[in-house]
């Protein structure tokens, strides 16, 4: 089954404790992206990757890191989480051939992160 | 951060009513406009990707139009049903060169509630 998986789905952590949210897709997609969703602010893009070893900042990259060492995985790293990073996080992927308009974006199930 | 706005913020209609929402976006460096449907406790689901001025797309009772010169898109739902209740998101892709078309800016969404 074609899917995007995220782990963990729920996480409560404390300020400053480094954490990684994993994202994996089994569709051989070139493009992957991370978003956060906050009430009243909609979805905001954190980082995106056009392919292995190619990553770019979205609209809200501060406090986050990403890496794309393999095509299928795109982990989101919070080196020193703070309470303002409490949010619902979504990973998504798309096939890139023909441009990003040719294929729909598949979203993962979301990770709800609480930083106390 | 680019300005992508949706109106209205929320909408309540009766079953069988037809309705429409608006997404406004920058009219320069246009690459694509996406529409998503997002049900509570689920992940966003792609509805349409629109690229050309004057584009019209249709999926069942849902259709969308695009005006890139003036920077707006309309989403129409004909004969609304309770299962259409969801948040409808639009997202803008610009192209300012390089891999910038990988950046996706979402509107805040229109919350549609269809009453039986």
């Amino acid at each position: 089954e074609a899917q995007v998986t995220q782990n963990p789905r729920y996480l409560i952590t404390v300020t400053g404790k480094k954490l990684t949210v994993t994202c994996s897709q089994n569709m051989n997609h070139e493009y992957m992206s991370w978003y956060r969703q906050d009430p009243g602010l909609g979805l905001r893009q954190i980082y995106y990757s056009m392919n292995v070893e190619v990553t770019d900042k979205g609209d809200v990259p501060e406090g986050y890191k990403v890496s794309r060492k393999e095509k299928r995985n795109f982990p989101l790293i919070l080196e020193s989480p703070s309470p303002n990073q409490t949010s619902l996080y979504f990973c998504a992927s798309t096939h890139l051939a023909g441009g990003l308009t040719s294929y729909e974006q598949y979203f993962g199930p979301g990770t709800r992160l609480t930083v106390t | 951060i680019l300005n992508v706005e949706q109106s209205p913020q929320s909408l309540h209609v009766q079953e069988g009513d037809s309705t429409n929402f608006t997404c406004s976006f920058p009219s320069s460096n246009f690459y694509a406009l996406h529409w998503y449907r997002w049900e509570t406790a689920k992940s966003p689901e792609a509805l349409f990707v629109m690229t050309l001025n004057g584009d019209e797309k249709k999926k069942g009772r849902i259709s969308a139009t695009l005006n890139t010169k003036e920077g707006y898109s309309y989403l129409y739902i004909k004969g609304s049903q309770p299962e259409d209740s969801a948040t409808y998101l639009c997202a803008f892709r610009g192209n300012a060169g390089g891999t910038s078309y990988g950046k996706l800016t979402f509107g805040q969404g229109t919350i549609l509630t269809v009453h039986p």
Side-chain angles (χ1 to χ4, degrees), chain A residues 23 25 28-33 48-56 66-75 93-94 96, chain B residues 99:
Chain A
C23 174
Q25 48 93 6
N28 203 35
H29 285 170
E30 294 82 5
Y31 177 92
M32 297 184 75
S33 184
Y48 62 95
S49 170
M50 304 296 272
N51 213 325
V52 175
E53 303 291 3
V54 181
T55 61
D56 279 295
V66 292
S67 69
R68 188 89 184 276
K69 294 186 169 57
E70 306 166 279
K71 202 170 186 180
R72 64 182 290 126
N73 297 322
F74 190 43
S93 72
T94 312
L96 189 55
Chain B
T99 59

mmCIF file of all heavy atoms in Angstrom, chain A residues 23 25 28-33 48-56 66-75 93-94 96, chain B residues 99:
data_model
loop_
_atom_site.group_PDB
_atom_site.id
_atom_site.type_symbol
_atom_site.label_atom_id
_atom_site.label_comp_id
_atom_site.label_asym_id
_atom_site.label_seq_id
_atom_site.Cartn_x
_atom_site.Cartn_y
_atom_site.Cartn_z
ATOM 1 N N CYS A 23 10.039 10.345 9.053
ATOM 2 C CA CYS A 23 9.073 10.330 7.952
ATOM 3 C C CYS A 23 9.618 9.391 6.886
ATOM 4 O O CYS A 23 10.781 9.537 6.478
ATOM 5 C CB CYS A 23 8.866 11.719 7.379
ATOM 6 S SG CYS A 23 7.809 11.719 5.902
ATOM 7 N N GLN A 25 8.492 7.251 3.114
ATOM 8 C CA GLN A 25 7.482 6.988 2.071
ATOM 9 C C GLN A 25 7.962 5.817 1.209
ATOM 10 O O GLN A 25 9.162 5.640 0.987
ATOM 11 C CB GLN A 25 7.219 8.241 1.219
ATOM 12 C CG GLN A 25 8.445 8.960 0.720
ATOM 13 C CD GLN A 25 8.927 8.554 -0.647
ATOM 14 O OE1 GLN A 25 8.285 7.767 -1.341
ATOM 15 N NE2 GLN A 25 10.068 9.111 -1.052
ATOM 16 N N ASN A 28 8.741 5.930 -3.782
ATOM 17 C CA ASN A 28 9.893 6.368 -4.569
ATOM 18 C C ASN A 28 9.761 7.837 -5.011
ATOM 19 O O ASN A 28 10.241 8.226 -6.084
ATOM 20 C CB ASN A 28 10.118 5.479 -5.800
ATOM 21 C CG ASN A 28 11.552 5.538 -6.308
ATOM 22 O OD1 ASN A 28 12.503 5.651 -5.534
ATOM 23 N ND2 ASN A 28 11.718 5.470 -7.616
ATOM 24 N N HIS A 29 9.120 8.638 -4.169
ATOM 25 C CA HIS A 29 8.922 10.047 -4.494
ATOM 26 C C HIS A 29 10.207 10.841 -4.301
ATOM 27 O O HIS A 29 10.945 10.630 -3.344
ATOM 28 C CB HIS A 29 7.825 10.651 -3.599
ATOM 29 C CG HIS A 29 6.461 10.222 -3.988
ATOM 30 N ND1 HIS A 29 5.350 10.472 -3.208
ATOM 31 C CD2 HIS A 29 5.999 9.581 -5.091
ATOM 32 C CE1 HIS A 29 4.266 10.001 -3.799
ATOM 33 N NE2 HIS A 29 4.645 9.458 -4.949
ATOM 34 N N GLU A 30 10.429 11.787 -5.219
ATOM 35 C CA GLU A 30 11.614 12.626 -5.104
ATOM 36 C C GLU A 30 11.403 13.742 -4.075
ATOM 37 O O GLU A 30 12.291 14.104 -3.336
ATOM 38 C CB GLU A 30 11.950 13.264 -6.461
ATOM 39 C CG GLU A 30 12.369 12.280 -7.541
ATOM 40 C CD GLU A 30 11.188 11.610 -8.238
ATOM 41 O OE1 GLU A 30 10.006 11.971 -7.947
ATOM 42 O OE2 GLU A 30 11.400 10.720 -9.074
ATOM 43 N N TYR A 31 10.197 14.311 -4.075
ATOM 44 C CA TYR A 31 9.926 15.500 -3.271
ATOM 45 C C TYR A 31 9.308 15.101 -1.937
ATOM 46 O O TYR A 31 8.364 14.313 -1.886
ATOM 47 C CB TYR A 31 8.962 16.409 -4.044
ATOM 48 C CG TYR A 31 8.509 17.660 -3.316
ATOM 49 C CD1 TYR A 31 9.197 18.857 -3.461
ATOM 50 C CD2 TYR A 31 7.363 17.647 -2.519
ATOM 51 C CE1 TYR A 31 8.766 20.019 -2.829
ATOM 52 C CE2 TYR A 31 6.934 18.798 -1.878
ATOM 53 C CZ TYR A 31 7.633 19.974 -2.048
ATOM 54 O OH TYR A 31 7.211 21.119 -1.412
ATOM 55 N N MET A 32 9.854 15.656 -0.853
ATOM 56 C CA MET A 32 9.268 15.472 0.476
ATOM 57 C C MET A 32 9.273 16.803 1.203
ATOM 58 O O MET A 32 10.097 17.688 0.910
ATOM 59 C CB MET A 32 10.050 14.417 1.270
ATOM 60 C CG MET A 32 10.016 13.030 0.638
ATOM 61 S SD MET A 32 10.821 11.743 1.599
ATOM 62 C CE MET A 32 9.607 11.476 2.918
ATOM 63 N N SER A 33 8.346 16.944 2.148
ATOM 64 C CA SER A 33 8.178 18.239 2.795
ATOM 65 C C SER A 33 7.632 18.052 4.211
ATOM 66 O O SER A 33 6.931 17.066 4.479
ATOM 67 C CB SER A 33 7.214 19.092 1.964
ATOM 68 O OG SER A 33 7.078 20.387 2.500
ATOM 69 N N TYR A 48 11.601 21.630 2.793
ATOM 70 C CA TYR A 48 11.275 20.696 1.741
ATOM 71 C C TYR A 48 12.555 20.175 1.100
ATOM 72 O O TYR A 48 13.629 20.761 1.245
ATOM 73 C CB TYR A 48 10.341 21.315 0.686
ATOM 74 C CG TYR A 48 10.891 22.495 -0.073
ATOM 75 C CD1 TYR A 48 11.502 22.335 -1.317
ATOM 76 C CD2 TYR A 48 10.760 23.796 0.425
ATOM 77 C CE1 TYR A 48 11.977 23.422 -2.033
ATOM 78 C CE2 TYR A 48 11.234 24.884 -0.288
ATOM 79 C CZ TYR A 48 11.835 24.697 -1.509
ATOM 80 O OH TYR A 48 12.311 25.782 -2.219
ATOM 81 N N SER A 49 12.405 19.063 0.385
ATOM 82 C CA SER A 49 13.551 18.435 -0.276
ATOM 83 C C SER A 49 13.136 17.989 -1.665
ATOM 84 O O SER A 49 12.149 17.277 -1.827
ATOM 85 C CB SER A 49 14.010 17.218 0.537
ATOM 86 O OG SER A 49 14.954 16.449 -0.185
ATOM 87 N N MET A 50 13.881 18.439 -2.664
ATOM 88 C CA MET A 50 13.563 18.079 -4.047
ATOM 89 C C MET A 50 14.134 16.712 -4.410
ATOM 90 O O MET A 50 13.678 16.087 -5.369
ATOM 91 C CB MET A 50 14.109 19.138 -5.002
ATOM 92 C CG MET A 50 13.621 20.553 -4.711
ATOM 93 S SD MET A 50 11.839 20.755 -4.926
ATOM 94 C CE MET A 50 11.782 21.173 -6.653
ATOM 95 N N ASN A 51 15.145 16.264 -3.678
ATOM 96 C CA ASN A 51 15.720 14.946 -3.914
ATOM 97 C C ASN A 51 16.784 14.683 -2.863
ATOM 98 O O ASN A 51 17.027 15.525 -1.982
ATOM 99 C CB ASN A 51 16.311 14.859 -5.327
ATOM 100 C CG ASN A 51 16.190 13.464 -5.928
ATOM 101 O OD1 ASN A 51 16.285 12.460 -5.214
ATOM 102 N ND2 ASN A 51 15.979 13.389 -7.222
ATOM 103 N N VAL A 52 17.440 13.554 -2.940
ATOM 104 C CA VAL A 52 18.473 13.201 -1.973
ATOM 105 C C VAL A 52 19.531 14.305 -1.910
ATOM 106 O O VAL A 52 19.970 14.809 -2.960
ATOM 107 C CB VAL A 52 19.114 11.852 -2.359
ATOM 108 C CG1 VAL A 52 20.273 11.516 -1.427
ATOM 109 C CG2 VAL A 52 18.092 10.739 -2.321
ATOM 110 N N GLU A 53 19.874 14.710 -0.700
ATOM 111 C CA GLU A 53 20.892 15.726 -0.437
ATOM 112 C C GLU A 53 20.510 17.125 -0.918
ATOM 113 O O GLU A 53 21.371 18.010 -0.941
ATOM 114 C CB GLU A 53 22.244 15.325 -1.057
ATOM 115 C CG GLU A 53 22.798 13.975 -0.583
ATOM 116 C CD GLU A 53 23.243 13.965 0.875
ATOM 117 O OE1 GLU A 53 23.082 14.980 1.581
ATOM 118 O OE2 GLU A 53 23.714 12.914 1.333
ATOM 119 N N VAL A 54 19.259 17.350 -1.277
ATOM 120 C CA VAL A 54 18.795 18.683 -1.698
ATOM 121 C C VAL A 54 17.656 19.111 -0.788
ATOM 122 O O VAL A 54 16.545 18.567 -0.867
ATOM 123 C CB VAL A 54 18.312 18.687 -3.164
ATOM 124 C CG1 VAL A 54 17.869 20.114 -3.558
ATOM 125 C CG2 VAL A 54 19.397 18.187 -4.100
ATOM 126 N N THR A 55 17.943 20.064 0.106
ATOM 127 C CA THR A 55 16.902 20.550 1.016
ATOM 128 C C THR A 55 16.855 22.069 0.969
ATOM 129 O O THR A 55 17.870 22.732 0.707
ATOM 130 C CB THR A 55 17.159 20.100 2.467
ATOM 131 O OG1 THR A 55 18.401 20.637 2.918
ATOM 132 C CG2 THR A 55 17.186 18.582 2.581
ATOM 133 N N ASP A 56 15.679 22.626 1.213
ATOM 134 C CA ASP A 56 15.488 24.083 1.200
ATOM 135 C C ASP A 56 14.540 24.484 2.309
ATOM 136 O O ASP A 56 13.689 23.697 2.733
ATOM 137 C CB ASP A 56 14.888 24.552 -0.137
ATOM 138 C CG ASP A 56 15.923 24.674 -1.212
ATOM 139 O OD1 ASP A 56 16.814 25.532 -1.075
ATOM 140 O OD2 ASP A 56 15.845 23.896 -2.171
ATOM 141 N N VAL A 66 16.699 19.313 8.990
ATOM 142 C CA VAL A 66 16.267 18.128 8.249
ATOM 143 C C VAL A 66 17.486 17.527 7.563
ATOM 144 O O VAL A 66 18.527 18.167 7.450
ATOM 145 C CB VAL A 66 15.213 18.455 7.166
ATOM 146 C CG1 VAL A 66 13.889 18.880 7.799
ATOM 147 C CG2 VAL A 66 15.718 19.510 6.200
ATOM 148 N N SER A 67 17.332 16.290 7.119
ATOM 149 C CA SER A 67 18.362 15.671 6.292
ATOM 150 C C SER A 67 17.677 14.751 5.299
ATOM 151 O O SER A 67 16.580 14.253 5.549
ATOM 152 C CB SER A 67 19.365 14.897 7.142
ATOM 153 O OG SER A 67 18.749 13.751 7.717
ATOM 154 N N ARG A 68 18.323 14.557 4.159
ATOM 155 C CA ARG A 68 17.758 13.655 3.141
ATOM 156 C C ARG A 68 18.916 12.813 2.587
ATOM 157 O O ARG A 68 19.469 13.072 1.525
ATOM 158 C CB ARG A 68 17.091 14.473 2.046
ATOM 159 C CG ARG A 68 16.315 13.617 1.040
ATOM 160 C CD ARG A 68 14.903 13.397 1.450
ATOM 161 N NE ARG A 68 14.174 12.520 0.568
ATOM 162 C CZ ARG A 68 13.572 12.910 -0.562
ATOM 163 N NH1 ARG A 68 13.667 14.170 -0.940
ATOM 164 N NH2 ARG A 68 12.923 12.037 -1.295
ATOM 165 N N LYS A 69 19.263 11.806 3.360
ATOM 166 C CA LYS A 69 20.369 10.926 2.963
ATOM 167 C C LYS A 69 19.887 9.789 2.073
ATOM 168 O O LYS A 69 20.664 9.201 1.313
ATOM 169 C CB LYS A 69 21.071 10.389 4.203
ATOM 170 C CG LYS A 69 21.794 11.454 5.016
ATOM 171 C CD LYS A 69 22.584 10.845 6.156
ATOM 172 C CE LYS A 69 23.510 11.843 6.822
ATOM 173 N NZ LYS A 69 22.824 13.037 7.329
ATOM 174 N N GLU A 70 18.615 9.445 2.231
ATOM 175 C CA GLU A 70 18.020 8.396 1.402
ATOM 176 C C GLU A 70 16.733 8.943 0.808
ATOM 177 O O GLU A 70 16.090 9.797 1.417
ATOM 178 C CB GLU A 70 17.662 7.175 2.225
ATOM 179 C CG GLU A 70 18.769 6.591 3.056
ATOM 180 C CD GLU A 70 18.193 5.612 4.059
ATOM 181 O OE1 GLU A 70 17.688 6.079 5.104
ATOM 182 O OE2 GLU A 70 18.212 4.405 3.780
ATOM 183 N N LYS A 71 16.341 8.415 -0.324
ATOM 184 C CA LYS A 71 15.154 8.932 -0.995
ATOM 185 C C LYS A 71 13.899 8.728 -0.151
ATOM 186 O O LYS A 71 13.000 9.567 -0.140
ATOM 187 C CB LYS A 71 14.985 8.215 -2.328
ATOM 188 C CG LYS A 71 14.155 8.959 -3.345
ATOM 189 C CD LYS A 71 14.266 8.275 -4.684
ATOM 190 C CE LYS A 71 13.572 9.085 -5.751
ATOM 191 N NZ LYS A 71 13.672 8.411 -7.079
ATOM 192 N N ARG A 72 13.787 7.637 0.539
ATOM 193 C CA ARG A 72 12.549 7.316 1.221
ATOM 194 C C ARG A 72 12.368 8.035 2.563
ATOM 195 O O ARG A 72 11.273 8.120 3.071
ATOM 196 C CB ARG A 72 12.424 5.801 1.418
ATOM 197 C CG ARG A 72 13.470 5.192 2.319
ATOM 198 C CD ARG A 72 13.307 3.685 2.409
ATOM 199 N NE ARG A 72 12.092 3.356 3.160
ATOM 200 C CZ ARG A 72 11.146 2.564 2.678
ATOM 201 N NH1 ARG A 72 11.227 2.037 1.476
ATOM 202 N NH2 ARG A 72 10.079 2.278 3.399
ATOM 203 N N ASN A 73 13.441 8.538 3.164
ATOM 204 C CA ASN A 73 13.359 9.087 4.519
ATOM 205 C C ASN A 73 13.669 10.581 4.573
ATOM 206 O O ASN A 73 14.593 11.058 3.905
ATOM 207 C CB ASN A 73 14.333 8.359 5.444
ATOM 208 C CG ASN A 73 13.988 6.890 5.596
ATOM 209 O OD1 ASN A 73 12.813 6.530 5.650
ATOM 210 N ND2 ASN A 73 15.010 6.043 5.659
ATOM 211 N N PHE A 74 12.934 11.277 5.413
ATOM 212 C CA PHE A 74 13.130 12.731 5.552
ATOM 213 C C PHE A 74 12.844 13.094 7.006
ATOM 214 O O PHE A 74 11.793 13.633 7.344
ATOM 215 C CB PHE A 74 12.183 13.464 4.596
ATOM 216 C CG PHE A 74 12.440 14.945 4.450
ATOM 217 C CD1 PHE A 74 13.717 15.454 4.327
ATOM 218 C CD2 PHE A 74 11.371 15.835 4.394
ATOM 219 C CE1 PHE A 74 13.950 16.809 4.175
ATOM 220 C CE2 PHE A 74 11.582 17.207 4.230
ATOM 221 C CZ PHE A 74 12.875 17.679 4.121
ATOM 222 N N PRO A 75 13.794 12.841 7.912
ATOM 223 C CA PRO A 75 13.544 13.114 9.328
ATOM 224 C C PRO A 75 13.568 14.599 9.659
ATOM 225 O O PRO A 75 14.320 15.375 9.059
ATOM 226 C CB PRO A 75 14.704 12.382 10.021
ATOM 227 C CG PRO A 75 15.788 12.322 8.983
ATOM 228 C CD PRO A 75 15.105 12.204 7.663
ATOM 229 N N SER A 93 4.801 13.788 0.613
ATOM 230 C CA SER A 93 5.703 13.475 -0.498
ATOM 231 C C SER A 93 4.951 13.524 -1.823
ATOM 232 O O SER A 93 3.738 13.359 -1.870
ATOM 233 C CB SER A 93 6.350 12.105 -0.321
ATOM 234 O OG SER A 93 5.409 11.060 -0.535
ATOM 235 N N THR A 94 5.718 13.781 -2.885
ATOM 236 C CA THR A 94 5.153 13.864 -4.239
ATOM 237 C C THR A 94 6.176 13.352 -5.244
ATOM 238 O O THR A 94 7.375 13.592 -5.085
ATOM 239 C CB THR A 94 4.828 15.330 -4.615
ATOM 240 O OG1 THR A 94 4.128 15.964 -3.583
ATOM 241 C CG2 THR A 94 4.026 15.402 -5.897
ATOM 242 N N LEU A 96 8.118 13.807 -8.611
ATOM 243 C CA LEU A 96 8.574 15.084 -9.158
ATOM 244 C C LEU A 96 8.657 15.111 -10.682
ATOM 245 O O LEU A 96 8.581 16.161 -11.291
ATOM 246 C CB LEU A 96 9.953 15.407 -8.576
ATOM 247 C CG LEU A 96 10.529 16.786 -8.830
ATOM 248 C CD1 LEU A 96 9.576 17.871 -8.365
ATOM 249 C CD2 LEU A 96 11.860 16.942 -8.131
ATOM 250 N N THR B 99 15.024 26.122 -7.193
ATOM 251 C CA THR B 99 14.086 25.133 -6.654
ATOM 252 C C THR B 99 12.986 25.804 -5.836
ATOM 253 O O THR B 99 12.307 25.147 -5.049
ATOM 254 C CB THR B 99 14.827 24.109 -5.773
ATOM 255 O OG1 THR B 99 15.473 24.815 -4.715
ATOM 256 C CG2 THR B 99 15.853 23.326 -6.576
#
